[in-house]
Amino acid sequence: MGESTVTPLEGRDQALPDPVTAAPRQRRLHRLRSPRRPRLWFEILLIAVSYWTYSLVRNAVPEQRSEALRNTDWIWRAEHSLGIAVEGSVNHAVNSVTWLIVGMNYYYATLHFIITLTVLVWLYRSHPGRYAATRLALFATTAVALVGYYLYPLAPPRLMPGGGFVDTVMVHQTWGSMASGDLKHMSNQYAAMPSMHIGWSLWCGLTVFALAKLPWARILGLLYPTATLVVIVATANHFWLDAVGGLLCLAFGFAVARVWYGTMPYALPRRVPPKGQGRPLLPTKA
């Protein structure tokens, strides 16, 4: 009986996993995918380098004018067939109100960057546990947009021959646009699809709506991409369908963040867990 109840040492070694050698690669991957407290110097450097790279790549895409204009004609015909080709009417109606269109020109040239950076700073300070995942969604959105600029060059409405659109920056001589005047040679004029004004503003709006506690802030979060949509059309910088392209890029960005972190960025814990506790099993929105 004694012999039948004794388990050999070799059998026990085989039954128990070795904690030292068990899946070290999985542990490293788990650490990479777990929320960590962002470091200010690293984030400033990362954002600066990323935007510089984005601008460099975007402007390095060949300005394929003939193909861009052919694509513009196709977009315009497609919108006519869908019954949504009203950009010209919006452009002329808003352009007739000088103070309004001048304000929109400055809005287009500045808020795109100011609001996005403001939301990033707010995330960094108030939601450090969600910062990296939400920032990844923004970066992935921007990266896939670069692919769109390369594969589908598109002229904005203001550059469409015979379209009758008003180039509001040129007409009103407003400051700050890289799309008209002497600065236009520093920027790719045929990178209108997808619209990153929409991609970035939707990212800002959804982030504020999902995480802000004050009702008025959440409402402003929803109004911001709506106002941006009106601005990009009124200034003749984009078609409606360019905005759809920006929305699809954002969906891709959030999908990347969802796959990497295993949940949506907004569902992650607000604060980074203390070292040694690892990632919570049930992330909350606290």
Side-chain angles (χ1 to χ4, degrees), residues 58 101-114 156 158 168-169 174-180 187 191-192 194-198 224 227-238 242:
R58 182 182 187 274
I101 194 60
V102 168
M104 286 189 173
N105 284 342
Y106 288 125
Y107 179 116
Y108 184 87
T110 60
L111 290 192
H112 180 51
F113 307 103
I114 294 172
R158 58 186 174 77
T168 60
V169 172
T174 51
W175 166 88
S177 175
M178 297 291 289
S180 300
S187 178
S195 168
M196 278 298 93
H197 273 75
I198 291 300
Y224 174 53
T228 300
L229 178 61
V230 175
V231 166
I232 66 172
V233 171
T235 56
N237 279 292
H238 289 284
D242 298 346

Side-chain angles (χ1 to χ4, degrees), residues 82 90 97 110 143 176:
L82 294 172
V90 175
V97 184
T110 60

Side-chain angles (χ1 to χ4, degrees), residues 140-161:
T141 298
T142 307
V144 76
L146 291 174
V147 178
Y149 299 147
Y150 187 87
L151 297 178
Y152 197 79
L154 183 73
R158 58 186 174 77
L159 294 182
M160 185 171 62

Side-chain angles (χ1 to χ4, degrees), residues 52-118:
W52 176 79
T53 304
Y54 164 76
S55 301
L56 187 68
V57 173
R58 182 182 187 274
N59 296 333
V61 174
E63 291 199 357
Q64 306 170 64
R65 183 176 185 275
S66 58
E67 184 177 355
L69 292 176
R70 284 197 302 270
N71 290 336
T72 298
D73 289 339
W74 186 91
I75 289 287
W76 195 228
R77 288 196 304 270
E79 289 198 350
H80 273 286
S81 65
L82 294 172
I84 60 173
V86 296
E87 289 92 334
S89 300
V90 175
N91 173 236
H92 283 273
V94 177
N95 185 65
S96 64
V97 184
T98 302
W99 66 266
L100 181 58
I101 194 60
V102 168
M104 286 189 173
N105 284 342
Y106 288 125
Y107 179 116
Y108 184 87
T110 60
L111 290 192
H112 180 51
F113 307 103
I114 294 172
I115 300 297
T116 304
L117 286 174
T118 300

